[in-house]
Amino acid sequence: MMQKISNRIYSVGVNDHDKALFEGLWPLPYGVSYNSYVVTAGKVALIDTVESGFEEEFLENIEGAAAAGVEVGVYFFTQAIDEREAVEEASMVLNLVSGYNLSYPIFIDTENGSGNARANGLDKATRTKCIAAFCKTIQNSGKTAGIYASKSWLENNLIMSYLNQYDVWLARYAAAPEYTGPFTIWQYTSKGAVDGISGYVDRNIGYKRYY
């Protein structure tokens, strides 16, 4: 369930008592919590996601965030290895968010997964085609698609000239973005602090008003 932590912070994560290993390596004798948070600053939110199998509870949390007047977007970590699978993933995401009023884009992340994730070895052209197929499917539904990646990933692993019609959420942990391409959100640190949340949080700056 959604839990209000303070006037500007909501917890929308879930607890998983069945997961035995973290990233397939480290034992989890007490399960794991997916600590997703909504931090509002004039009705702005970026929401992380949860493990497959917890979609229903997570969507309930999205409903709670929306009911509280928080602007909501979606981040999706892909494992598609061809365009067909990318379209299937996009269709699945659209089905999950059907009926919800998303203010922010549906962002796709194609960076390497942990261990031997199946999409890790894709070449630049194939990875770019997968993103294009995913984003086109999202856009054709009437929603906004975007790409999340680090500066080095955008520059070395994607053909951005083929994807320039989609918004970019740039992850660059430095004093300045130092990325020459266009982007609408800059994730500038993974070690931010927010009152009401213990531990580090990602911090972002938005340059485009989506709502």
Side-chain angles (χ1 to χ4, degrees), residues 3 10 25 35 39 48 65 114 119 123 133 135 155 168 185 197:
Q3 178 182 0
Y10 299 84
L25 297 174
N35 293 318
V39 180
D48 218 346
S114 59
D123 60 79
C135 289
E155 292 173 342
V168 170
I185 302 173
I197 298 178

Side-chain angles (χ1 to χ4, degrees), residues 66-97:
V70 175
E71 306 297 336
V72 176
V74 171
Y75 163 100
F76 181 78
F77 192 93
T78 178
Q79 280 299 292
I81 59 174
D82 56 38
E83 293 170 275
R84 177 186 60 80
E85 289 188 359
V87 170
E88 289 177 351
E89 286 185 341
S91 299
M92 178 196 69
V93 173
L94 289 171
N95 181 62
L96 286 171
V97 301

Side-chain angles (χ1 to χ4, degrees), residues 25-89:
L25 297 174
W26 297 282
L28 296 169
Y30 305 108
V32 66
S33 294
Y34 303 117
N35 293 318
S36 300
Y37 295 98
V38 174
V39 180
T40 67
K43 299 177 69 175
V44 175
L46 293 173
I47 297 181
D48 218 346
T49 52
V50 298
E51 185 81 8
S52 176
F54 291 85
E55 297 93 340
E56 184 174 345
E57 186 175 350
F58 187 67
L59 290 173
E60 289 176 357
N61 292 341
I62 291 180
E63 289 179 357
V70 175
E71 306 297 336
V72 176
V74 171
Y75 163 100
F76 181 78
F77 192 93
T78 178
Q79 280 299 292
I81 59 174
D82 56 38
E83 293 170 275
R84 177 186 60 80
E85 289 188 359
V87 170
E88 289 177 351
E89 286 185 341

Side-chain angles (χ1 to χ4, degrees), residues 3-210:
Q3 178 182 0
K4 185 175 182 179
I5 296 175
S6 73
N7 287 336
R8 297 192 304 110
I9 302 170
Y10 299 84
S11 171
V12 295
V14 299
N15 295 318
D16 179 358
H17 298 291
D18 298 321
K19 195 174 187 67
L21 295 174
F22 177 70
E23 295 188 345
L25 297 174
W26 297 282
L28 296 169
Y30 305 108
V32 66
S33 294
Y34 303 117
N35 293 318
S36 300
Y37 295 98
V38 174
V39 180
T40 67
K43 299 177 69 175
V44 175
L46 293 173
I47 297 181
D48 218 346
T49 52
V50 298
E51 185 81 8
S52 176
F54 291 85
E55 297 93 340
E56 184 174 345
E57 186 175 350
F58 187 67
L59 290 173
E60 289 176 357
N61 292 341
I62 291 180
E63 289 179 357
V70 175
E71 306 297 336
V72 176
V74 171
Y75 163 100
F76 181 78
F77 192 93
T78 178
Q79 280 299 292
I81 59 174
D82 56 38
E83 293 170 275
R84 177 186 60 80
E85 289 188 359
V87 170
E88 289 177 351
E89 286 185 341
S91 299
M92 178 196 69
V93 173
L94 289 171
N95 181 62
L96 286 171
V97 301
S98 176
Y100 298 94
N101 184 24
L102 298 181
S103 303
Y104 279 80
I106 297 174
F107 285 98
I108 181 173
D109 184 356
T110 67
E111 296 170 302
N112 283 340
S114 59
N116 296 316
R118 66 196 298 268
N120 283 2
L122 294 182
D123 60 79
K124 181 186 292 189
T126 301
R127 197 180 301 276
T128 299
K129 289 178 180 178
C130 286
I131 290 180
F134 181 97
C135 289
K136 183 177 180 180
T137 303
I138 298 297
Q139 299 272 82
N140 285 346
S141 76
K143 298 189 182 298
T144 304
I147 302 162
Y148 172 91
S150 67
K151 174 181 179 290
S152 61
W153 193 266
L154 292 168
E155 292 173 342
N156 300 312
N157 297 88
L158 302 176
I159 306 173
M160 290 307 296
S161 60
Y162 191 70
L163 302 168
N164 55 18
Q165 66 267 51
Y166 305 116
D167 288 349
V168 170
W169 178 5
L170 171 69
R172 173 64 171 170
Y173 304 153
E178 300 174 338
Y179 177 63
T180 58
F183 57 93
T184 59
I185 302 173
W186 172 28
Q187 185 176 100
Y188 62 91
T189 182
S190 62
K191 294 184 177 181
V194 175
D195 291 343
I197 298 178
S198 60
Y200 292 132
V201 297
D202 296 341
R203 297 292 295 266
N204 301 268
I205 299 175
Y207 299 96
K208 179 177 180 179
R209 189 178 182 87
Y210 284 101

